[in-house]
Amino acid sequence: MNSNDKKWTHLHTWNEILSQAEVWKGVLQMLRRSAPAERIIDTSSDQQEWLFVGCGTSFYLAEAAALSWTLLTSLPARAIPASEILLFPRLLAADGQKQAVVISRSGRTSEAVRAARVLREELRIATLGVTCAKSSELEQICSESIVLSAADENSTVMTRSFTSMLLCLQFLGAKRAGKLQFIERMETMAEELAPRVRTIAAEVEAFVHRTEFEDYVFLGQGPFHGIAREAALKVMEMSCSYSQVFHTLEFRHGPKAIVTPATCLTFFLSETAQKEETEVLSEMKELGGATVAICNRAGETIQQASDLVIQMDTAGDELALLAPYTVPCQLMGFFTGLRKGLNPDEPKNLTRVVILD
Ligand code: F1P
């Protein structure tokens, strides 16, 4: 039975997940001509600390973007939830120059908009808005904004908006660092992944239908930790399943106590630390957990220790793997939600935008 006969092909979330690689290609082409992107790079100085700000999925995006930024530019960067800026503004020590990036698909999330206003108007910090919505409050407040309207979604949960805004920030970091080869590698990755997304979807769908789990753990180091946090949120939002996140090697220090055959452990394997991360993967398999390895290319050890292996098999730089690594877990949340009789387009308890009084 092909996917056209399946009952979910009309869902916004399904079509938005499937469209990602094509949207990435368009976003990267647009950024090559983006005047705001040029201005931000030209006006930022070398002494700045970069603050990446968001809520929910957009905060986990901020985490992946901040570590990507430092690895690309060698500049200090950190991610902070918008709420922390509002509740504990003294966390933003006054010392040193800062540049802020506020991320919000809708550009309307109350905490994100309020944080942008505090940053720009009270703390006098230059603030870039990154959003998918046209003419938003965020865009009106920020000194510069990049609007990725092609990545916007009808769905409540964020999928292609997450990966596209992440690629946008990695593009800016590479541009800031003069690493134009990295931009070409992102473009190559998007070209190579476009024909593979449906295959990955079929692999994840089959895995979800042959297994059933009580809880989920997502493990990643370095910039992959932000991806692990987003993966956990996708599974929580779309399937109402209990998910936890740890730095991969941290899982040995106590949390592994929870491992049973009903625990699904997903490993986001970096290139830098793949040996050490794969050792944890093998140990958790020996403990009896169910294991999923998301990697670029899987050697024999990874294959033997995994119940499911999703390989990207792309020539891209390690940081170019962050966006495609997110796709299998968007699909894990999607298919697990369907199997539990839920509708990923209408996630329980959630609204598309959190607006506070
Ligand atoms: C942020 C967010 C999403 C979440 C839900 C509610 O939205 O928290 O991460 O999945 O849709 O809104 P935004 O600020 O990026 O528009």
Side-chain angles (χ1 to χ4, degrees), residues 54-59 103-110 112 131 155-158 161 165 230 233-234 237 350-354:
C55 302
T57 284
S58 295
F59 169 53
I103 305 159
S104 173
R105 167 185 68 176
S106 63
R108 294 174 46 232
T109 298
S110 298
T131 182
S155 58
T156 293
V157 299
M158 292 170 65
S161 57
M165 290 193 284
E230 169 57 8
L233 182 61
K234 287 291 92 67
E237 288 180 327
L350 299 186
T351 56
R352 191 172 187 281
V353 186
V354 176

Side-chain angles (χ1 to χ4, degrees), residues 54-301:
C55 302
T57 284
S58 295
F59 169 53
Y60 304 141
L61 198 172
E63 287 195 329
L67 273 74
S68 296
W69 196 267
T70 296
L71 292 171
L72 283 165
T73 67
S74 302
L75 291 173
R78 64 181 160 129
I80 184 167
S83 55
E84 289 286 81
I85 293 173
L86 303 176
L87 302 177
F88 294 91
R90 288 179 35 231
L91 285 172
L92 299 183
D95 64 316
Q97 285 186 318
K98 291 179 174 54
Q99 165 77 48
V101 180
V102 179
I103 305 159
S104 173
R105 167 185 68 176
S106 63
R108 294 174 46 232
T109 298
S110 298
E111 291 146 276
V113 169
R114 291 173 188 174
R117 189 169 284 118
V118 166
L119 286 161
R120 178 130 197 262
E121 297 172 4
E122 294 180 28
L123 302 176
R124 300 283 180 222
I125 293 175
T127 304
L128 163 69
V130 177
T131 182
C132 298
K134 293 176 181 171
S135 311
S136 68
E137 291 169 77
L138 182 67
E139 189 178 359
Q140 290 163 13
I141 294 167
C142 292
S143 28
E144 289 284 1
S145 290
I146 296 178
V147 181
L148 306 180
S149 48
D152 205 356
E153 293 144 339
N154 292 305
S155 58
T156 293
V157 299
M158 292 170 65
T159 54
R160 72 184 183 195
S161 57
F162 173 88
T163 52
S164 299
M165 290 193 284
L166 175 57
L167 285 171
C168 168
L169 291 169
Q170 291 181 317
F171 177 99
L172 280 185
K175 192 97 170 154
R176 180 80 181 61
K179 292 183 176 174
L180 304 186
Q181 190 181 32
F182 178 73
I183 292 173
E184 290 165 8
R185 285 179 179 166
M186 286 198 288
E187 291 166 339
T188 302
M189 175 279 292
E191 285 291 341
E192 292 177 342
L193 264 294
R196 279 190 43 69
V197 174
R198 279 188 182 276
T199 308
I200 292 171
E203 291 167 346
V204 174
E205 180 196 359
F207 177 73
V208 168
H209 283 278
R210 69 172 182 264
T211 55
E212 190 159 352
F213 301 112
E214 288 171 6
D215 61 330
Y216 295 78
V217 173
F218 297 88
L219 301 168
Q221 300 272 171
F224 296 88
H225 186 69
I227 302 304
R229 292 190 76 173
E230 169 57 8
L233 182 61
K234 287 291 92 67
V235 169
M236 279 190 271
E237 288 180 327
M238 287 193 268
S239 73
C240 299
S241 302
Y242 183 64
S243 302
Q244 298 184 82
V245 186
F246 302 93
H247 287 85
T248 309
L249 275 63
E250 275 296 296
F251 193 61
R252 288 194 182 104
H253 298 273
K256 72 176 183 179
I258 65 163
V259 174
T260 74
T263 306
C264 180
L265 299 145
T266 298
F267 291 76
F268 294 92
L269 297 176
S270 66
E271 308 277 84
T272 303
Q274 186 170 105
K275 175 181 176 299
E276 294 82 357
E277 294 161 353
T278 303
E279 287 166 358
V280 181
L281 168 66
S282 300
E283 289 168 29
M284 295 315 125
K285 189 69 206 145
E286 286 160 22
L287 274 184
T291 51
V292 176
I294 299 176
C295 58
N296 194 28
R297 293 184 181 90
E300 188 179 339
T301 306

